Amino acid sequence: MNTGHQGCPPTWVSQSAEFRLAVRDILLQGKNMVKLIHTLADHGDDVNYCAFSSSLLATCSLDKTIRLYSLSDFTELPHSPLKFHTYAVHCCCFSPSGHILASCSTDGTTVLWNTQNGQTLAVLEQPRGSPVRVCRFSPDSTCLVSGAADGTVVLWNAQSYKLHRCGSVKDGSLVACAFSPSRNLFVTGSSCGDLTVWDDKMKCLHSEKAHDLGITCCDFSSQPVSDGEQSLQFFRLATCGQDCQIKIWVVPLSHILGFELKYKSTLSGHCAPILACAFSHNGQLLVSGSVDKSVIVYDINTENILHTLTQHTRYVTTCAFAPNILLLATGSMDKTVNIWQFDLEMLCQARSTEDQLKPFTEDWSEDDVSTWLCTQELKDLVGVFKMNNIDGKELLNLTKESLADDLKIDGYSYEKEAMENWISKKKRTSPMTNLVLPSVVLIPNRTLKMAIDRWLETHKK
């Protein structure tokens, strides 16, 4: 039975994806493929964004500043923090060379900085002064895009700092932007959920509703992928949103017959809105950060979860990979930026384990299942599972209904103290169904706890 409020589903029920992840972690014997190597805590308010160049890390915040750090030892540069903006800084990004940093703010400006000395190079004012939510350099450094709360998207000449072209979306604020690695086109995402593709002349090539409750972030993989059948190559595009989903799209490299944007798949794992997503430099990993305070690392080829990071204490607002090494930065409303390093050997081992895990688990005997239950501190359930002859194949197919109907596991959520009091009075029946409980083990309902924490966070005065 779960402890918490009534009506929430049991969180430990063995849906096969979650179960395989748990088993994989056991097989890896607790080793971490991702190691926290540094925490930056210099900002005085929420961290909104972070970005890498080949030698620097930039972070920006609700505290109106941008900070620059050296990747060699994560010390802050002498000319940091950068101060100009009069309101919150929402986004920052490096030019491909790393010599220029762009930052944008609620104050309606996008500022270009010299990263070597911290001097301002230009101040680009958004038409009508609307708050600027996102900015991006083109891969060839010739253009800079800024997107604003009023739906305007501006294409700036990055050499002359002059407005080149301007467009807008029909509804919502522009909150996300990403350039295609190989062509002069870019995508924008709006708070209404529209994903729009533009060419370098600001012509709209494609638009569709991608996320019902709004897009929060998008990113292109820098590495092309072949479909293996018709020898076509394409780039992956990831989008995430308030609907708690990450969607993967493909964009063909060749557009002879016109532009195409095709939906491929949806990744699951988060239980709350997803605020950020980013591909690794080699295109093999995708990370996401969420309101549930976690960061999930996916193998993009298998779309399996490789690792979940839970060190942040508030919403994870941003995540970014370094361009040439497997270094990850994650920022949060807890005012910190965590720097993570990947263990390549463990990463390869995890991928291999994921590939082999399902057939391996299906071959588990009843005793193997009992052993696994004990490692998960569920020893009290061993008798019930053995009584019902649950082997590996049966375990992968368990549902909430089979747990309740066949195994007589309660499945309701209660206040822990009230349930312990109930059991202490030697009552062995379910308070909801009055059926005899074969086990009185209490299992925390972590999903419900997260939901309560999110509500409290949202309604803080």
Side-chain angles (χ1 to χ4, degrees), residues 163-315:
L163 190 152
H164 180 55
R165 294 181 186 274
C166 185
S168 64
V169 296
K170 293 180 179 179
D171 300 302
S173 301
L174 277 181
V175 294
C177 179
F179 269 93
S180 168
S182 70
R183 290 176 54 87
N184 294 326
L185 60 84
F186 61 95
V187 299
T188 58
S190 80
S191 59
C192 287
D194 294 326
L195 183 65
T196 306
V197 185
W198 312 81
D199 66 12
D200 57 357
K201 296 179 178 59
M202 292 298 296
K203 177 184 177 183
C204 177
L205 302 178
H206 181 88
S207 185
E208 69 174 88
K209 183 75 72 175
H211 294 266
D212 288 339
L213 303 178
I215 295 173
T216 53
C217 189
C218 60
D219 191 37
F220 269 104
S221 170
S222 62
Q223 301 299 318
V225 181
S226 174
D227 66 358
E229 296 177 0
Q230 302 177 13
S231 299
L232 295 176
Q233 286 195 315
F234 56 85
F235 284 107
R236 292 188 178 104
L237 169 69
T239 62
C240 59
Q242 299 285 350
D243 57 4
C244 313
Q245 294 183 338
I246 302 171
K247 292 187 178 181
I248 306 299
W249 313 76
V250 293
V251 180
L253 268 67
S254 174
H255 301 289
I256 298 174
L257 300 178
F259 178 83
E260 283 186 291
L261 176 69
K262 293 183 177 180
Y263 165 78
K264 180 180 179 289
S265 58
T266 297
L267 306 185
S268 59
H270 288 292
C271 61
I274 302 168
L275 304 180
C277 61
F279 282 101
S280 61
H281 70 279
N282 61 7
Q284 300 301 302
L285 303 177
L286 179 73
V287 296
S288 57
S290 169
V291 169
D292 65 16
K293 307 175 189 177
S294 73
V295 176
I296 294 181
V297 183
Y298 298 89
D299 182 328
I300 195 60
N301 293 313
T302 64
E303 300 187 349
N304 289 328
I305 295 175
L306 293 177
H307 209 75
T308 301
L309 311 173
T310 57
Q311 277 71 10
H312 284 295
T313 58
R314 295 190 68 191
Y315 302 173

Side-chain angles (χ1 to χ4, degrees), residues 2-6 412-416 443-445 448 452:
N2 288 338
T3 57
H5 292 276
Q6 296 180 5
Y412 288 97
S413 294
Y414 308 93
E415 292 287 353
K416 183 180 180 183
I443 304 168
N445 189 334
L448 179 57
I452 294 170

